[in-house]
């Protein structure tokens, strides 16, 4: 399956249904992206091994570095509900990344990156990728390779690859 080429296009217009401080709050893609430079990364699921040990923690860790480069927000999207995403962010002590629940997979499907992992009991999931969005327009996407031989490749959607794309002169900071 080849992914849709979304570079140069607007992010899909969807509404994320979130629970914030005990209240339902709908968040539109306009609210997330309009007039902002945003790094979004998407992953298969909260509480899963690679997502919890590498993907989310490194973006959270490098958030101040991204901010120095003009990034207004870092958004993590997964096809999970708001309660799972909120619990995961709390479990991960993740205060520098905005987690967005794509419970119905609407955003992920509109991005052309909804995959079916029903064969292993996971249902519909997001393919792992990251992208740079400027004022709602997709500037760059790093899709994990589909032919890597891994069920869950993690080679190019990482925080270090994205930050080096934004600033090729960025000096690597060791992970804490």
């Amino acid at each position: 399956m080849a992914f849709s080429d979304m570079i140069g296009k607007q992010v899909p217009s969807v509404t994320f249904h979130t629970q914030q401080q005990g209240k339902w709050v709908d968040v539109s893609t306009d609210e997330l992206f309009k007039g902002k430079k945003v790094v979004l990364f998407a992953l298969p699921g909260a509480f899963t091994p690679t997502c919890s040990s590498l993907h989310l923690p490194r973006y959270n860790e490098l958030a101040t570095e991204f901010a120095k480069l003009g990034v207004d927000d870092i958004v993590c999207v997964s096809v999970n509900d708001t309660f799972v995403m909120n619990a995961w962010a709390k479990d991960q002590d993740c205060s520098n990344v905005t987690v967005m629940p794509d419970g119905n997979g609407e955003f992920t499907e509109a991005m052309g990156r909804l995959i079916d992992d029903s064969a292993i009991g996971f249902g519909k999931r997001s393919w792992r990728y990251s992208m740079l969005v400027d004022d709602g327009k997709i500037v760059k996407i790093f899709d994990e390779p589909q032919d890597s031989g891994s069920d869950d490749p993690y080679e190019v959607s990482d925080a270090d690859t994205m930050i080096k794309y934004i600033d090729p002169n960025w000096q690597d900071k060791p992970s804490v």
Side-chain angles (χ1 to χ4, degrees):
M1 166 179 88
F3 291 123
S4 304
D5 181 9
M6 299 292 289
I7 295 177
K9 297 181 180 175
Q10 292 295 119
V11 292
S13 179
V14 301
T15 299
F16 297 97
H17 306 291
T18 71
Q19 181 82 193
Q20 299 175 21
Q21 297 156 351
K23 294 186 172 135
W24 285 102
V25 178
D26 284 348
V27 179
S28 71
T29 46
D30 275 352
E31 291 172 81
L32 288 174
F33 300 107
K34 192 170 185 167
K36 301 175 189 172
K37 184 186 268 187
V38 177
V39 169
L40 178 143
F41 65 103
L43 39 81
F47 293 104
T48 57
T50 303
C51 304
S52 296
S53 64
L54 299 170
H55 215 172
L56 179 68
R58 187 64 169 162
Y59 273 102
N60 189 53
E61 185 176 287
L62 292 180
T64 56
E65 296 291 317
F66 278 105
K68 289 178 193 173
L69 298 173
V71 172
D72 297 299
D73 198 7
I74 300 170
V75 176
C76 174
V77 172
S78 184
V79 182
N80 290 116
D81 66 59
T82 189
F83 299 106
V84 170
M85 292 298 280
N86 289 347
W88 186 47
K90 184 177 179 181
D91 177 75
Q92 291 284 304
D93 194 23
C94 176
S95 56
N96 301 319
V97 173
T98 302
V99 295
M100 276 294 122
D102 189 19
N104 295 327
E106 294 168 22
F107 181 82
T108 303
E109 186 171 26
M111 284 294 300
R113 281 148 177 84
L114 188 67
I115 60 169
D116 188 351
D117 273 347
S118 297
I120 58 172
F122 287 178
K124 304 285 182 168
R125 295 282 177 131
S126 176
W127 187 252
R128 190 183 301 279
Y129 68 94
S130 65
M131 66 180 177
L132 178 62
V133 180
D134 193 355
D135 193 22
K137 185 177 175 183
I138 300 168
V139 176
K140 178 69 176 172
I141 298 179
F142 291 101
D143 284 304
E144 290 298 337
Q146 293 179 283
D147 57 358
S148 70
S150 170
D151 290 338
D152 186 19
Y154 181 68
E155 301 171 21
V156 297
S157 64
D158 59 293
D160 293 77
T161 297
M162 179 59 76
I163 207 165
K164 287 175 188 169
Y165 172 77
I166 296 169
D167 179 7
N169 297 316
W170 182 77
Q171 295 299 307
D172 190 23
K173 310 281 189 276
S175 181
V176 296

